[in-house]
Amino acid sequence: MKKLFILMSVLVSVFVITGCENNEDDLREVELDVFMSFPRFQEQFEDYFELFEQKMLEEENIIVKINLEMPSSDTAQQLLQARLSSDDAPDVYTLHAIADIPDYYEAGYLADLSDAEFTNSVYDSVLESVTYDGKIVALPLESLAWGYLYNKDIFAQYNLTPPQTLSEMEEVVNTLNANDQTPFLLAFQESWIPQLLMALSLGGMINSEEPNFIENMNSGTGSYADIDEVFGIIDLIMENGTERAFETGGAAGSADFANGEAAMWVQGPWMSGSILDVNPDMNIGLAPLPVTNNPDTTMINLSTSTSLGVSPTSENKDIAIKLVNFILDAEHSSDLFAELKFNPLSSVHTYDTFPWVDEAMAYVAQGKAYLEKGLPNGVTDETALMLQEYYLGDKTKQQVIDAIDAAWQSAIDNQ
Amino acid sequence: MKNSNRILLIFCLPAFLLYSTFVLYPALGGFWYSLTNWNGLDPTYGDYVGFSNYKELLGDENFKQSLLFTSKYVIYMVILQNIIALLLAVIIESFEKTKNVFRTIFFFPNMISMIVGGFIWLFIFTRVFPYLADTIGLMILDESWIGNPQYSFYSILILSLWGSVGYLMIIYIAALQNIPKQLLEAARIDGASKLQINWHIVRPLIANSITIGVFIALSTSFKVFDQVYALTGGGPGRATQVVSLNIFSEAFAMQSRFGYASAKAVVLFVLILGITLIQLLVMKRKEVEM
């Protein structure tokens, strides 16, 4: 009702201002289907899209009605793919910049946005992650500077600083253990969380000591055995973690971490919201994960995850692109991004960033960072399952290596 | 064709139309996809690859593992579900006044979606049990009910039984109520013991319900999905991955191989069809008509 009332009053005022020149035929009515996997941000986006609806009515005399669909992120991809392949594509939808763009683009589900207005203000490094085949095909929403999280208060209490090598990390672990403080939080119920261990340590390795790893794997000559140093840090974390790892999911893990159950958590800044919900005074730190005793392997991961694409078959593509541009609107975007706790990714963003973002950016400024590279489909999923079994002791290191190698090989064979 | 038959057929038509649209057509479509390498996304539905998906299935260790795990689950479920449902039916029928109350209580979980039930039990297994173990020292509960594959199998069983026993119980209650009282009385007058009455009169007379009970338990537990999805998600690793979950992850996670996943689904369909057909044939023979 409220929405309707606002719409009506705006309508009336438009008539009055324009001296009733417009009869109803001049008003274009447009419906946009927007699909986003952000149920936790439903209110924020509803409010924001209301601003867009007002703007369109005032400036262009178009009545826009936005149908916002927000399925949970577990099911979003299945729903979206079913809708895309049954010719029922939403006009605007979220997708993962690195994991999804290649497949979606090849299948012809992404419109070319290279000429859209937003491309002028987005930082080049971020724009690169949504560029495919020489074209900009999505608007980046979530850009990340990613490392593990640590509890700054606990580190301060024992005079610790984020370690830069594996042996420094061992010392930190020993100090914490000596003081009866569990070093690492383990929340392994959802398999994507243990997988982060491999993602971060692999990223450190292949961007320093093993730069040819991905090419070798793709040509069939490489193996995870080439980077098996990553198991050094993985073992250290698994051996010095909290108990009942499989009884703890992401949400429960956030609560435990916020309550100081462990000093470090290999998770990402995307959890900051739910951690701060539990303990608003928590001092979250973010640091790059050391992999070996070579400090060059200790790096921050820069990546773009959720992005916004436009369907090329949209009946109202012009309006859909305007909506995408509006996400980085000079006047409103800063408020939205600050509220969502997203990182700034465009020159229109002027809000204060969070301390952990600044901390990560300090490492980036020293050059201790790399841009996330995509792995073939299925490799990440296989890694996730294997690391769960590795933690259980059901699989040995060699079996884990073999299984991931096989998954990589099969992904290449089925391309 | 007789006129009455034709009218009956016309009455079936609306249901048949819906069934064709939402079950038959997608099922046939699934069979077609199983002969392609479609990735679930490509608008041209991939290329025809013949039976190569099926050939690949023969060497798929994870699929075999999930089939084995599902079979174990089916065996436990068919036996436990029917025994418990029958016992509950007999016990509840023997109550005089509280019959309806207990019937409702035991049927209640059946009305909740198993996903919701799964989350309820997930909370019980991961939060309530450890809490009970820590505070009142019930050490028998202090196990990793979700994280240890040995225990998580039983967690899944507990959830599934909790959710499904009520339904079979209603079927058995109906069967028990249909047994003519005079038969039981006559047997009692002839001096038959309780055990003898149950074995020689009650058992044959509810045999057709047992056929239905076993049939329902068989076909639903082969297709088990929501319980496992909500409780363990197939984990840790693949330790509790049932077939339908294996198919699901092949189609929507991993490499999104929709065609290959469809081939697995066809194999599962043929298996269930075969096993339930055999079961019906065997058990139908033992039924008696009154």
Side-chain angles (χ1 to χ4, degrees):
Chain A
M1 271 320 280
K2 197 178 138 206
K3 230 177 185 175
L4 198 72
F5 179 69
I6 294 172
L7 206 71
M8 291 302 283
S9 49
V10 173
L11 248 175
V12 169
S13 56
V14 167
F15 277 127
V16 172
I17 291 163
T18 54
C20 299
E21 300 169 338
N22 295 298
N23 52 35
E24 292 214 346
D25 299 336
D26 288 348
L27 276 175
R28 185 176 157 201
E29 280 192 44
V30 171
E31 267 196 51
L32 280 185
D33 290 326
V34 178
F35 183 102
M36 295 179 125
S37 54
F38 282 138
R40 62 187 194 279
F41 299 138
Q42 176 133 17
E43 273 174 37
Q44 287 90 330
F45 277 106
E46 269 174 4
D47 292 347
Y48 198 72
F49 289 153
E50 222 162 89
L51 290 175
F52 177 72
E53 290 172 354
Q54 280 175 23
K55 180 184 147 122
M56 291 309 285
L57 192 62
E58 281 163 18
E59 294 179 4
E60 315 211 8
N61 234 354
I62 302 174
I63 299 181
V64 182
K65 183 170 175 290
I66 291 178
N67 305 319
L68 185 58
E69 193 181 340
M70 287 247 182
S72 84
S73 51
D74 316 342
T75 50
Q77 196 174 11
Q78 289 90 292
L79 283 175
L80 180 62
Q81 294 199 356
R83 290 188 58 176
L84 289 174
S85 54
S86 57
D87 264 342
D88 182 28
D91 298 295
V92 176
Y93 58 86
T94 53
L95 74 169
H96 193 284
I98 289 152
D100 296 337
I101 281 182
D103 282 348
Y104 283 48
Y105 179 80
E106 299 290 344
Y109 293 134
L110 283 173
D112 181 3
L113 303 178
S114 305
D115 300 326
E117 200 189 316
F118 75 84
T119 54
N120 302 323
S121 69
V122 177
Y123 302 145
D124 286 345
S125 63
V126 182
L127 215 47
E128 196 181 312
S129 58
V130 290
T131 305
Y132 189 76
D133 197 19
K135 301 186 185 85
I136 294 162
V137 291
L139 168 110
L141 270 179
E142 270 187 291
S143 134
L144 296 170
W146 176 35
Y148 70 90
L149 306 177
Y150 68 94
N151 186 325
K152 279 191 158 168
D153 295 334
I154 295 179
F155 267 55
Q157 191 183 341
Y158 302 115
N159 274 329
L160 299 168
T161 50
Q164 299 302 312
T165 63
L166 185 61
S167 42
E168 280 176 38
M169 179 60 103
E170 278 161 5
E171 277 167 39
V172 167
V173 167
N174 290 338
T175 313
L176 289 169
N177 278 335
N179 289 292
D180 276 339
Q181 170 67 54
T182 314
F184 291 99
L185 188 84
L186 302 182
F188 285 176
Q189 193 179 69
E190 298 150 33
S191 65
W192 66 275
I193 301 178
Q195 176 271 132
L196 301 174
L197 297 175
M198 179 64 93
L200 265 186
S201 49
L202 179 70
M205 285 302 288
I206 66 179
N207 289 287
S208 55
E209 294 187 351
E210 293 285 337
N212 299 322
F213 177 75
I214 289 187
E215 287 75 30
N216 291 345
M217 286 303 287
N218 283 338
S219 65
T221 54
S223 160
Y224 269 64
D226 303 340
I227 48 107
D228 66 350
E229 293 96 324
V230 297
F231 284 95
I233 183 74
I234 292 177
D235 287 341
L236 184 70
I237 293 171
M238 286 182 170
E239 283 158 16
N240 293 285
T242 46
E243 283 174 7
R244 291 182 179 140
F246 284 113
E247 271 72 35
T248 315
S254 307
D256 290 349
F257 187 60
N259 291 327
E261 303 252 324
M264 293 171 270
W265 191 16
V266 182
Q267 256 286 2
W270 52 82
M271 280 308 202
S272 54
S274 41
I275 295 170
L276 292 177
D277 277 348
V278 178
N279 178 3
D281 303 325
M282 168 107 187
N283 274 321
I284 304 174
L286 190 149
L289 186 71
V291 187
T292 64
N293 283 328
N294 174 359
D296 291 344
T297 58
T298 309
M299 280 194 271
I300 290 283
N301 172 313
L302 293 176
S303 76
T304 304
S305 55
T306 317
S307 311
L308 208 52
V310 174
S311 164
T313 58
S314 165
E315 283 171 21
N316 301 297
K317 209 165 125 187
D318 54 332
I319 309 293
I321 292 177
K322 284 200 171 115
L323 176 69
V324 169
N325 281 327
F326 187 70
I327 298 281
L328 294 183
D329 181 74
E331 192 185 335
H332 301 293
S333 185
S334 287
D335 292 343
L336 176 72
F337 273 62
E339 208 180 332
L340 302 177
K341 297 195 171 62
F342 284 0
N343 287 358
L345 46 77
S346 153
S347 52
V348 303
H349 288 152
T350 51
Y351 55 92
D352 289 335
T353 51
F354 301 96
W356 58 88
V357 176
D358 297 337
E359 194 177 352
M361 285 307 167
Y363 289 103
V364 178
Q366 296 168 33
K368 291 170 101 27
Y370 61 91
L371 274 184
E372 164 98 351
K373 294 188 183 93
L375 302 182
N377 284 336
V379 171
T380 305
D381 291 326
E382 187 67 37
T383 311
L385 298 180
M386 282 304 119
L387 283 185
Q388 276 190 333
E389 295 192 23
Y390 182 65
Y391 176 73
L392 266 183
D394 282 1
K395 288 274 188 299
T396 64
K397 187 170 115 182
Q398 191 56 43
Q399 284 171 314
V400 174
I401 290 173
D402 291 344
I404 305 178
D405 282 350
W408 195 306
Q409 192 57 44
S410 119
I412 290 167
D413 293 345
N414 287 307
Q415 247 166 18
Chain B
M1 199 188 289
K2 266 198 299 183
N3 209 18
S4 60
N5 277 355
R6 197 169 301 153
I7 289 171
L8 282 180
L9 274 181
I10 291 173
F11 271 111
C12 290
L13 200 65
F16 181 72
L17 275 180
L18 285 177
Y19 184 76
S20 317
T21 320
F22 294 108
V23 181
L24 280 185
Y25 173 69
L28 290 174
F31 181 69
W32 167 249
Y33 298 141
S34 76
L35 304 175
T36 68
N37 62 2
W38 189 39
N39 62 2
L41 200 59
D42 181 8
T44 60
Y45 297 104
D47 302 319
Y48 176 77
V49 294
F51 283 88
S52 72
N53 284 330
Y54 291 91
K55 267 181 223 149
E56 189 178 342
L57 255 183
L58 295 175
D60 190 329
E61 280 308 315
N62 292 330
F63 184 64
K64 274 183 211 161
Q65 211 54 51
S66 68
L67 262 183
L68 274 180
F69 182 79
T70 313
S71 313
K72 180 174 156 198
Y73 171 83
V74 170
I75 294 170
Y76 273 79
M77 277 303 282
V78 169
I79 296 174
L80 288 176
Q81 210 178 333
N82 283 288
I83 290 180
I84 296 175
L86 194 53
L87 276 179
L88 280 178
V90 172
I91 293 169
I92 289 176
E93 268 307 287
S94 69
F95 292 162
E96 291 295 327
K97 284 180 186 155
T98 46
K99 222 184 248 187
N100 282 328
V101 179
F102 280 103
R103 228 185 278 170
T104 314
I105 290 176
F106 282 106
F107 187 67
F108 192 68
N110 194 260
M111 316 214 297
I112 308 178
S113 142
M114 267 300 108
I115 285 285
V116 179
F119 287 130
I120 296 173
W121 278 93
L122 185 64
F123 180 77
I124 295 177
F125 286 130
T126 59
R127 298 276 132 171
V128 178
F129 277 15
Y131 178 79
L132 286 180
D134 290 347
T135 47
I136 59 173
L138 266 176
M139 287 331 271
I140 194 169
L141 297 179
D142 192 27
E143 295 294 343
S144 182
W145 287 92
I146 301 298
N148 183 336
Q150 247 131 32
Y151 287 92
S152 51
F153 175 69
Y154 295 102
S155 311
I156 295 170
L157 269 189
I158 291 172
L159 166 65
S160 306
L161 287 173
W162 173 81
S164 62
V165 152
Y167 187 66
L168 290 189
M169 179 193 77
I170 295 290
I171 295 179
Y172 286 129
I173 286 180
L176 289 175
Q177 284 174 346
N178 273 336
I179 296 174
K181 292 273 177 297
Q182 60 267 35
L183 277 182
L184 300 177
E185 257 165 51
R188 214 169 294 138
I189 290 165
D190 288 344
S193 71
K194 260 219 155 111
L195 207 69
Q196 281 172 321
I197 294 178
N198 277 338
W199 188 251
H200 292 291
I201 297 176
V202 175
R203 186 188 53 88
L205 284 178
I206 61 166
N208 55 350
S209 298
I210 296 179
T211 311
I212 296 174
V214 173
F215 173 77
I216 292 176
L218 253 183
S219 59
T220 52
S221 30
F222 256 115
K223 292 185 288 192
V224 58
F225 180 82
D226 357 10
Q227 292 93 317
V228 188
Y229 184 76
L231 209 54
T232 66
R238 287 195 177 85
T240 57
Q241 197 177 57
V242 288
V243 183
S244 47
L245 209 55
N246 180 282
I247 295 173
F248 174 81
S249 72
E250 193 72 66
F252 295 109
M254 306 307 280
Q255 293 162 33
S256 306
R257 298 180 60 197
F258 210 92
Y260 185 45
S262 300
K264 290 180 176 181
V266 171
V267 170
L268 179 64
F269 164 73
V270 173
L271 267 180
I272 298 179
L273 184 74
I275 291 174
T276 47
L277 271 184
I278 295 171
Q279 178 252 333
L280 282 181
L281 281 177
V282 171
M283 294 191 68
K284 273 278 174 201
R285 264 188 238 146
K286 296 195 174 156
E287 287 176 18
V288 290
E289 295 285 332
M290 275 208 302

